[in-house]
Amino acid sequence: MSLRKLSKNYGPHRALVDVDLDIEPGEVFGYLGPNGAGKTTTIRVLLGLLRPTAGEARVLGMDSWRDSVRVHARTGYVPGDPGLWEKLTGTDTISYLARLRDDPAQVGRGRDIADRLGLELDRPVRALSRGNRQKLVIVQAFMGEPELAVLDEPTSGLDPLVQRELHAMVRELTSRGGTVLLSSHVLDDVQRTADRVGVIRSGRLVAVERLEDLRAKALHHVVARFASPVSPALFERIPNIAGLTCADESMVCRVPERSLDATLKVLAGVSVVDVSITEADLEEMFLAYYGEAETSAA
Amino acid sequence: MRPEVTIQTLHAQRRSLLAWALALGGLIAIYVAVYPSVKGTGSSFSKLIDEMPRAYRALFTTGSGIDFSTPAGYLNTELLTFMGPVVVLLYAVNAGAAAIAGEEEHRTLELMMVNTASRRRILLEKAAALAVGVALLMVSMWAWLLIEGRIAGMDVPLTNSAAAMLHLGLLGIEFGAIALLVGALTGRVGTSRSIAAALAVLAYLVNGLAPLVGWLKPIRKASPFFQYIGHDPLRTGASWPALGVTLGSIVVIVCAAVVALQHRDIGT
């Protein structure tokens, strides 16, 4: 999959600006960003639902807009805000979609996946909970044994056991050489499966990193209280420390994960009364690392 | 490749189609039951109507005059001029608006698309479903006319009533196709429904008032209602030129809808 200078405008609003990105076969690419950043727009362009304003998107070697039907034949899609036919049962739904794909054999595979996710297919969609609707959408995306799975916030509404099952399905797909694009606004969602992560803010792809590198950058809040006053100079030696405030017997700061060890070693040298270390949320991390990129480009 | 979208659409409508067909049966039963009493007072009723304002007469008889002495004249005025088209257009415009815009608003259009249904396929199969749905209603309406007419001892002309149903069905499909086109352009059910309904009212008025209003006369033939009933199909049978114009319009509208859907962003 490759995006070249891909842009999409809605009237005056620039939803995507010059996005360049390549995703290799066998790779799970995590697509991260706050809500409204352009994740879903990217995905809908890739699937030929939206027409690029400029640039091009090639999927499985084909043009996403002109060859969309041929792309769809090899793709499974879990939409972020899925619609289903309320009156149809799960079985009706997957059988209709399998007939559209002209491959009735998919119904059997759909049943297997539904079993795996713990979804009953004989109830009408309108009687299904949000989580069960999401399962049905996942079933239809995977029953065609796609080469490419495009998953837009796929774990929303799913309990942890089902999330784990979905992650297993993603790994099975990539072990067969398939490719997965997984979008989310929470790091936790992608860090279990993704090989690389792209970060999008306000329509611009501001970073593409290996997951390990991103993990190393994951910010942690450190709050400590001491038995006696401590000099700030002690902490300023910690690499990449930010937001440091020392007041008499307490200290607050932010450090990336890779500096945690250094932080703990400094703390070990003084007498600590209390300490807490919590992971900052993704939004804060975006602001810390990628906020500048956005302002300078805009 | 089987027309899965058409089959699925009609399958989803099966109960509502049955309800529409039964409603038509009830409507026709009322008209048929009333006929003997109207027939008896035929001349005085005609006289009463003759005394009404010309505009009223023009609108509710669409120019062909009132003749309650024959079943054909009675049905033409009472059923085919107003209530029949209202029922058929209600169904057709709703079905046309639901076809693309309804699926898009429910976000099921994209589910069909990503499961390899092309935009053109979806649109053409939805248009086919609209045509079949209207055709089913027209067949049921025709059957009700013949059956209930026979029970009431009313002589409904067999082929001419079939011709009238054919013309009425095409009228319905034409406005259904307009709703389909607006849906393909906008993806909005409400917009599709109201534009198609407004155009239907406009076309009805143009056809009905043209005999009275000079400047409307030249455009009367452009009204689908003129193609439908201007030649009084219940008395004269099918009109090939009118069928040609209507079918041609439907084809043009559906083609425009295909092009519209193929160029549009879905679900924005």
Side-chain angles (χ1 to χ4, degrees):
Chain A
M1 172 158 39
S2 80
L3 312 182
R4 287 287 166 269
K5 293 268 164 231
L6 188 69
S7 297
K8 177 69 192 173
N9 301 348
Y10 298 120
H13 173 62
R14 305 181 76 190
L16 282 184
V17 185
D18 293 339
V19 173
D20 283 293
L21 178 65
D22 288 280
I23 301 177
E24 303 301 326
E27 184 175 37
V28 179
F29 189 85
Y31 202 36
L32 273 176
N35 289 323
K39 300 188 299 284
T40 298
T41 300
T42 312
I43 284 172
R44 296 177 74 83
V45 169
L46 283 172
L47 291 167
L49 297 170
L50 305 178
R51 188 179 201 164
T53 306
E56 69 164 0
R58 299 194 71 80
V59 183
L60 302 165
M62 296 174 282
D63 184 88
S64 68
W65 176 261
R66 280 192 302 277
D67 303 321
S68 63
V69 175
R70 285 195 293 148
V71 170
H72 295 154
R74 295 159 62 185
T75 304
Y77 173 44
V78 173
D81 180 13
L84 291 160
W85 294 277
E86 297 290 315
K87 288 181 184 171
L88 298 191
T89 64
T91 306
D92 293 341
T93 305
I94 61 175
S95 121
Y96 177 35
L97 296 175
R99 279 181 283 126
L100 281 181
R101 284 183 177 266
D102 206 10
D103 182 8
Q106 292 187 7
V107 177
R109 282 201 296 270
R111 283 184 205 287
D112 294 342
I113 300 170
D115 278 348
R116 208 173 151 176
L117 298 175
L119 170 67
E120 288 173 36
L121 285 173
D122 52 358
R123 298 171 65 198
V125 167
R126 64 167 173 269
L128 295 182
S129 68
R130 186 165 131 72
N132 281 328
R133 282 168 189 251
Q134 188 67 12
K135 288 179 195 171
L136 183 53
V137 176
I138 292 169
V139 167
Q140 64 82 34
F142 280 85
M143 69 184 186
E145 296 191 321
E147 290 164 56
L148 168 69
V150 179
L151 314 175
D152 195 354
E153 308 269 355
T155 54
S156 63
L158 297 182
D159 60 59
L161 275 177
V162 181
Q163 290 189 18
R164 200 187 299 168
E165 204 57 50
L166 177 66
H167 291 140
M169 285 163 62
V170 163
R171 278 190 292 272
E172 284 160 28
L173 197 148
T174 48
S175 66
R176 293 198 305 264
T179 308
V180 177
L181 176 64
L182 175 72
S183 105
S184 180
H185 65 282
V186 272
L187 181 59
D188 190 52
D189 242 7
V190 298
Q191 69 189 13
R192 280 187 267 179
T193 42
D195 302 304
R196 279 193 307 153
V197 174
V199 178
I200 185 166
R201 270 188 72 84
S202 307
R204 288 180 167 82
L205 191 65
V206 290
V208 176
E209 309 203 40
R210 313 244 11 123
L211 186 70
E212 307 91 79
D213 302 339
L214 192 71
R215 286 291 318 165
K217 282 185 177 180
L219 285 179
H220 289 70
H221 289 283
V222 181
V223 181
R225 271 195 308 121
F226 310 108
S228 55
V230 168
S231 152
L234 212 54
F235 299 102
E236 279 159 7
R237 299 202 311 256
I238 298 170
N240 300 102
I241 192 166
L244 174 66
T245 40
C246 272
D248 303 332
E249 289 159 16
S250 72
M251 184 278 292
V252 176
C253 70
R254 272 194 332 250
V255 293
E257 192 168 283
R258 60 170 171 248
S259 300
L260 276 178
D261 185 55
T263 312
L264 288 173
K265 285 188 173 133
V266 171
L267 288 174
V270 294
S271 59
V272 173
V273 174
D274 185 19
V275 65
S276 84
I277 300 178
T278 50
E279 197 174 67
D281 63 10
L282 200 59
E283 187 71 11
E284 193 177 339
M285 195 170 112
F286 287 149
L287 278 174
Y289 288 109
Y290 312 116
E292 277 171 59
E294 186 212 341
T295 24
S296 64
Chain B
M1 190 157 58
R2 286 209 313 167
E4 302 293 351
V5 179
T6 305
I7 294 168
Q8 182 65 31
T9 304
L10 290 168
H11 188 255
Q13 285 181 16
R14 64 198 184 283
R15 286 197 190 87
S16 103
L17 273 169
L18 185 67
W20 281 98
L22 292 176
L24 278 170
L27 181 74
I28 291 170
I30 293 167
Y31 282 124
V32 168
V34 169
Y35 181 58
S37 51
V38 178
K39 188 187 183 188
T41 62
S43 57
S44 53
F45 196 76
S46 300
K47 215 183 282 172
L48 176 75
I49 290 203
D50 280 341
E51 283 161 12
M52 287 184 169
R54 284 176 66 209
Y56 175 87
R57 270 187 291 154
L59 273 182
F60 289 94
T61 65
T62 57
S64 52
I66 287 185
D67 168 22
F68 282 175
S69 63
T70 66
Y74 169 73
L75 288 174
N76 186 55
T77 303
E78 288 298 319
L79 182 66
L80 296 186
T81 304
F82 191 71
M83 272 315 281
V86 165
V87 174
V88 174
L89 286 175
L90 267 179
Y91 167 79
V93 167
N94 272 316
I100 297 297
E103 297 267 15
E104 187 168 348
E105 283 189 359
H106 290 113
R107 298 191 164 271
T108 44
L109 183 65
E110 60 195 71
L111 203 56
M112 291 192 273
M113 285 173 60
V114 297
N115 282 283
T116 71
S118 70
R119 295 172 187 230
R120 185 173 66 178
R121 176 182 176 189
I122 293 172
L123 197 123
L124 292 179
E125 288 202 28
K126 284 287 185 180
L130 169 71
V132 173
V134 171
L136 288 174
L137 284 194
M138 297 329 298
V139 168
S140 82
M141 192 171 174
W142 189 50
W144 287 122
L145 269 176
L146 295 178
I147 295 165
E148 295 180 345
R150 168 154 297 189
I151 292 170
M154 210 171 154
D155 181 28
V156 179
L158 184 76
T159 46
N160 284 1
S161 60
M165 295 301 104
L166 176 63
H167 278 286
L168 179 54
L170 287 174
L171 177 80
I173 293 169
E174 187 169 357
F175 283 101
I178 289 173
L180 185 72
L181 167 63
V182 180
L185 281 166
T186 65
R188 303 267 182 276
V189 173
T191 314
S192 319
R193 219 183 265 158
S194 36
I195 290 182
L199 286 174
V201 170
L202 192 70
Y204 181 82
L205 291 176
V206 166
N207 178 57
L209 294 176
L212 304 179
V213 184
W215 59 269
L216 282 178
K217 269 185 197 123
I219 60 168
R220 185 181 185 198
K221 288 190 174 174
S223 166
F225 274 86
F226 180 77
Q227 317 301 337
Y228 155 51
I229 206 166
H231 63 286
D232 199 349
L234 210 49
R235 268 186 284 229
T236 64
S239 153
W240 295 111
L243 287 179
V245 170
T246 313
L247 272 174
S249 311
I250 292 170
V251 169
V252 169
I253 295 165
V254 170
C255 289
V258 171
V259 174
L261 191 62
Q262 279 178 330
H263 287 82
R264 200 166 60 78
D265 288 348
I266 300 302
T268 53

